[in-house]
Amino acid sequence: MNHQELQGCPPLEQAVVRFIQDLRPENLGPAVRAGVSTLMRDQLAVQLGSSRLPWSRQVLTFAQGRALPGRSTVLGSQLKMNAQDAAFVNAIYGHGFEYDDAHRASASHPGCCVVPVALAVGEELGSTLDEVITGIVAGYEIYTRIGTLAGPDLLKRGFHPHAVLSSFGAAAVVASMRKFDAETTLHALAIALSHASGTGEFTSTGGSVKRVHSGIGVRSGMAAADLAQAGITGPRASLSGNKGFYQTFLQRPAGIEPEKRFAAVPRFEIEQVWLKPYCCCGCIHAYLDAVRPFAGQVGGIEKVVARIQRSANVVVGTVNVNAWQPKNIEHVQFSLPIQMAFTLLGLGNGYQVHLDYLEGKLDMAAVIATAARITLVEDTMLDAKYPGKFVADITVELRDGTSRHSFVEDPIGTPDNPMPQAEQDAKFMELTRGLLGAVRADALLGTLKRLDGRVTAAELAQMCTA
């Protein structure tokens, strides 16, 4: 890359652009491709499984009334739209039920940004899966590496990290797949900063807009790339400037030599995908692993004391005004006491129990009574000791006068404690079988496991239609 193309650009911004420019399909090794396969399997399944939820249907109606024609597929249907509108809808599906992948260090959800954008742009361009894969990796790495330099401070300050970061990820996908030069790539990401937004108030007082955050970020990032391609320019120090991303959103610099995070490294972030076995906020998962041994034993429990990190408490704990008295699905999926009560009552925390809640089939009086026995104690020492992780520290006080302590550092599904393949496949089939039928769902799963780079984006999208 010609460094003169980025004259007057700080080292961090130069490193980000160089990373995107240097990515090539032939340079992505087996571990990276395996990470992409894992991510695509989970994300496409969640998109399909969430496509029939109430807010998903509302979004589709909204988009159909406004969308421009195009070649890109709305998953779970036969509808075609332009890439930006199709990605908007599919991204909302992908983030629609708190069941999508997560990234620990940035406390975010990159998959529901980069997968729908890459597939929609791939259909638009007539791309192969090799080109789609490269776009996914570009977007995933830019999204998560910018986010890792910001986390967990974004959460603590009340932002929704995914809403903030997804505009950068989407712009990076488009820049990679449309093969922007360095200068245009720089401006696409800089313009994306002007779109970065979104708070986490939904965790406290609800609102289905949370489901739409992914689509808002995706559409904004793609629009930023379009504007850059049209010649609009952005600030050359959009990340590291004294009024750039880190100083404005966090009131601090990105750190010492942050550009090194975008240098060639032995491991890509996409090799460490976190898959969710539970249909709720990732801050909660370690606690569910911790209390699972007590499932169905509520009668013998006097009290549960859960020590909680500040970063998690803001999202799923005492900062939420409805944590013990949920009034809607957002409250339920972002309440640590309610989710622990689900586990203790033997209801589980998967896809079906949350559908049952939506349909009014749960005995919430029993759930709320159980949640009342759970006390949360904020412990900032856990933040200091386990940076970049959401851990669980609980003490269960039994009615026989004894107590049991449990600590979970790496819940099931995280990179250090991955979900077994059989459980991944079961989740995929649970989410896709009802829409595609068992034969087509199994065929889609096989295609995503093989991830043959010669298959086209359009062929893969066709497999996801109903």
Side-chain angles (χ1 to χ4, degrees), residues 295-413:
Q297 301 177 36
V298 173
I301 295 173
E302 183 67 32
K303 180 180 180 182
V304 179
V305 177
R307 308 195 74 79
I308 186 170
Q309 295 153 285
R310 170 63 181 169
S311 52
N313 196 31
V314 169
V315 186
V316 299
T318 62
V319 179
N320 289 353
V321 297
N322 293 291
W324 279 268
Q325 294 285 335
K327 297 177 177 63
N328 55 48
I329 186 65
E330 291 81 27
H331 296 164
V332 166
Q333 291 181 311
F334 285 88
S335 167
L336 177 54
I338 294 298
Q339 290 294 327
M340 290 175 71
F342 278 3
T343 302
L344 291 171
L345 289 167
L347 298 171
N349 306 80
Y351 186 67
Q352 188 58 51
V353 71
H354 292 91
L355 288 180
D356 289 344
Y357 172 83
L358 280 176
E359 295 170 3
K361 296 178 180 178
L362 289 185
D363 178 5
M364 286 303 294
V367 173
I368 290 169
T370 302
R373 303 187 203 177
I374 299 168
T375 299
L376 306 186
V377 179
E378 187 174 298
D379 185 347
T380 57
M381 292 298 294
L382 292 173
D383 290 283
K385 192 171 181 180
Y386 301 97
K389 291 186 175 184
F390 293 115
V391 301
D393 187 324
I394 70 165
T395 300
V396 179
E397 298 179 11
L398 301 173
R399 286 180 171 162
D400 65 5
T402 64
S403 65
R404 289 171 61 183
H405 176 259
S406 179
F407 180 83
V408 175
E409 180 175 353
D410 298 303
I412 296 170

Side-chain angles (χ1 to χ4, degrees), residues 151-338:
D153 290 356
L154 282 174
L155 270 182
K156 292 179 181 178
R157 295 182 64 81
F159 288 108
H160 180 203
H162 173 59
V164 172
L165 298 171
S166 55
S167 60
F168 296 115
V173 173
V174 177
S176 172
M177 295 187 69
R178 291 188 188 163
K179 298 179 171 54
F180 286 0
D181 61 24
E183 191 73 13
T184 308
T185 299
L186 172 71
H187 293 304
L189 292 166
I191 296 167
L193 171 62
S194 291
H195 292 281
S197 185
T199 79
E201 178 58 27
F202 58 84
T203 66
S204 185
T205 52
S208 60
V209 69
K210 193 273 181 185
R211 319 296 180 180
V212 185
H213 275 184
S214 188
I216 292 171
V218 155
R219 174 176 275 171
S220 297
M222 295 176 78
D226 287 344
L227 287 166
Q229 195 169 18
I232 302 299
T233 61
R236 303 187 76 77
S238 60
L239 296 174
S240 60
N242 61 11
K243 287 175 279 188
F245 174 64
Y246 293 103
Q247 288 285 8
T248 301
F249 279 72
L250 306 176
Q251 280 75 63
R252 64 165 174 79
I256 300 171
E257 297 184 306
E259 64 274 9
K260 288 186 176 179
R261 183 164 290 280
F262 295 89
V265 293
R267 178 180 60 79
F268 280 66
E269 295 298 316
I270 204 165
E271 297 174 30
Q272 302 289 306
V273 175
W274 173 6
L275 300 183
K276 285 187 173 183
Y278 309 124
C279 200
C280 60
C281 179
C283 301
I284 294 171
H285 286 215
Y287 291 92
L288 303 184
D289 284 355
V291 298
R292 279 176 71 182
F294 300 95
Q297 301 177 36
V298 173
I301 295 173
E302 183 67 32
K303 180 180 180 182
V304 179
V305 177
R307 308 195 74 79
I308 186 170
Q309 295 153 285
R310 170 63 181 169
S311 52
N313 196 31
V314 169
V315 186
V316 299
T318 62
V319 179
N320 289 353
V321 297
N322 293 291
W324 279 268
Q325 294 285 335
K327 297 177 177 63
N328 55 48
I329 186 65
E330 291 81 27
H331 296 164
V332 166
Q333 291 181 311
F334 285 88
S335 167
L336 177 54
I338 294 298

Side-chain angles (χ1 to χ4, degrees), residues 48-64:
L48 290 167
S50 299
S51 65
R52 298 298 185 262
L53 295 171
W55 44 87
S56 297
R57 292 194 297 269
Q58 291 164 350
V59 163
L60 182 58
T61 299
F62 167 85
Q64 282 182 279

Side-chain angles (χ1 to χ4, degrees), residues 6 23 118 139 190 267 282 293 419 434:
L6 295 179
L23 276 180
R267 178 180 60 79
M419 190 188 304

Side-chain angles (χ1 to χ4, degrees), residues 12 18 70 133 136 147 163 230 263 265 278 313 317 422 448 462:
L12 175 57
R18 189 177 299 116
I133 289 165
I136 286 173
V265 293
Y278 309 124
N313 196 31
L448 292 169
Q462 181 59 36

